Amino acid sequence: MGRIAYLNGRFERHAEAFVHIEDRGYQFADAVYEVWALFDGKLSDPDGHFARLERSLSELQIDMPMSRNALTIVLRETVRQNRIRDGLLYLQVSRGVAPRDHAFPTTPTSPAIVITAKAIDRATAEAKAAKGVSVITVPENRWGRCDIKTVGLLPNAMAKQAAKEKGAAEAWFVDDLGFVTEGASSNAWIVTANGTVKTRDTNANILRGVTRYTLLDILQAEGISIDQSPFTPAEALAANEAFITGAGALVLPVVALDGKPIGNGKVGPMASRLRCLYIEQARATAI
Ligand code: PLP
């Protein structure tokens, strides 16, 4: 983790940055977050992440703590102070501090803002992508508003832990109808036997991944056939390839599901190509 964190208007040493015990993010998960991939110290997919932040906040009736422009300056300054080139930038905005009561405070609170940044070794990330990762499935057990990017991530954390215990990098939630919804921290995709790239639509109870949208644009520009509909784990096992997308994963090939190989069990050409195309575009459009 970088050495400097931004906390409510000040840059502080990371080890000494603390939030209040009655912050509603801490007590009720009454907070939203965003994560940007950083390329050469710049924020990837800026518009998508800002738009989703504004939407998440508005769904919870929390005010944007500052304008997009001001926030961009603070986010970039956090990156600069931590001297990060490739990495991840984390922003959390909670409703703020108030005496503990479930209903929103009647006296207006100031949203509490935390920003941290951490470096990622791209060579290690590329080596991981070249090998591909394993995924497990877990029953969907999250609330009905996964479209809001809140910090209420306990089911996601438990799913990720279950994956880790089985030597997998991600867990895919499977709903009551037997369809994959999304990963614990990524969107789920397959490449079918006829070369169509499939990911489920966002009318479902999933996060509207910013990487997902950018990749859909890339697929369209490349003339690759897209199917935005749900798929089952059995379809994934019968697919040529699978991969996940997210600010952390970027486009990360998946080679096994629940211990069984997908396709020939090796990283496929489509996932590798899409990873390159995504990184190229994200670098070019980062601010
Ligand atoms: N789905 C979930 C549950 C996530 O937590 C994330 C990212 O953190 C994603 C999907 C991918 O979203 P994005 O591409 O915006 O990072």
Side-chain angles (χ1 to χ4, degrees):
M1 186 57 77
R3 293 163 304 121
I4 306 291
Y6 175 88
L7 175 62
N8 296 330
R10 294 172 51 177
F11 289 97
E12 298 191 7
R13 283 162 59 101
H14 186 272
E16 289 157 16
F18 298 105
V19 295
H20 193 278
I21 55 168
E22 286 200 307
D23 185 283
R24 288 182 58 95
Y26 173 62
Q27 294 195 320
F28 297 109
D30 189 359
V32 306
Y33 74 106
E34 268 305 326
V35 179
W36 288 259
L38 296 168
F39 292 99
D40 299 325
K42 294 183 185 161
L43 283 65
S44 66
D45 288 326
D47 292 345
H49 286 288
F50 281 118
R52 188 174 61 193
L53 172 68
E54 286 162 3
R55 179 177 179 278
S56 295
L57 287 169
S58 126
E59 290 295 315
L60 298 189
Q61 299 165 44
I62 299 175
D63 291 336
M64 246 312 249
M66 57 183 95
S67 69
R68 255 194 213 203
N69 282 349
L71 192 53
T72 305
I73 291 168
V74 178
L75 287 164
R76 288 161 95 166
E77 181 58 15
T78 310
V79 176
R80 195 191 67 77
Q81 291 207 17
N82 286 287
R83 298 198 185 91
I84 289 174
R85 307 301 300 164
D86 290 328
L88 288 171
L89 183 62
Y90 177 86
L91 162 74
Q92 177 172 324
V93 182
S94 84
R95 192 179 306 280
V97 176
R100 189 174 185 281
D101 186 11
H102 287 64
F104 299 168
T106 43
T107 320
T109 51
S110 308
I113 315 175
V114 170
I115 305 172
T116 56
K118 71 172 177 184
I120 281 183
D121 178 20
R122 283 271 173 246
T124 309
E126 286 314 314
K128 185 176 171 187
K131 236 176 113 209
V133 296
S134 299
V135 169
I136 62 160
T137 54
V138 293
E140 179 63 90
N141 61 354
R142 298 173 301 158
W143 75 323
R145 291 304 309 272
C146 293
D147 57 305
I148 310 174
K149 198 167 168 69
T150 79
V151 302
L153 291 173
L154 191 52
N156 307 56
M158 290 177 78
K160 212 60 152 187
Q161 177 62 21
K164 191 174 168 187
E165 285 170 12
K166 291 192 171 144
E170 179 60 300
W172 282 355
F173 290 109
V174 177
D175 67 17
D176 288 347
L177 300 172
F179 292 112
V180 173
T181 53
E182 63 182 326
S185 64
S186 59
N187 288 111
W189 305 66
I190 57 171
V191 183
T192 66
N194 70 7
T196 297
V197 176
K198 192 166 176 179
T199 192
R200 80 176 298 163
D201 62 280
T202 51
N203 296 324
N205 182 34
I206 64 168
L207 188 75
R208 299 166 187 185
V210 173
T211 320
R212 177 188 177 283
Y213 282 117
T214 301
L215 193 64
L216 285 172
D217 288 345
I218 292 172
L219 288 166
Q220 205 162 15
E222 293 290 314
I224 297 166
S225 136
I226 304 167
D227 177 4
Q228 289 191 63
S229 59
F231 57 86
T232 62
E235 275 179 85
L237 284 170
N240 281 356
E241 299 180 39
F243 58 92
I244 54 176
T245 57
L250 305 177
V251 177
L252 188 59
V254 173
V255 293
L257 184 62
D258 287 332
K260 297 179 205 107
I262 292 178
N264 63 6
K266 299 214 161 64
V267 171
M270 181 70 89
S272 322
R273 179 177 163 209
L274 295 178
R275 180 175 177 89
C276 289
L277 288 171
Y278 173 76
I279 292 176
E280 202 176 293
Q281 162 131 346
R283 262 187 207 290
T285 54
I287 59 162

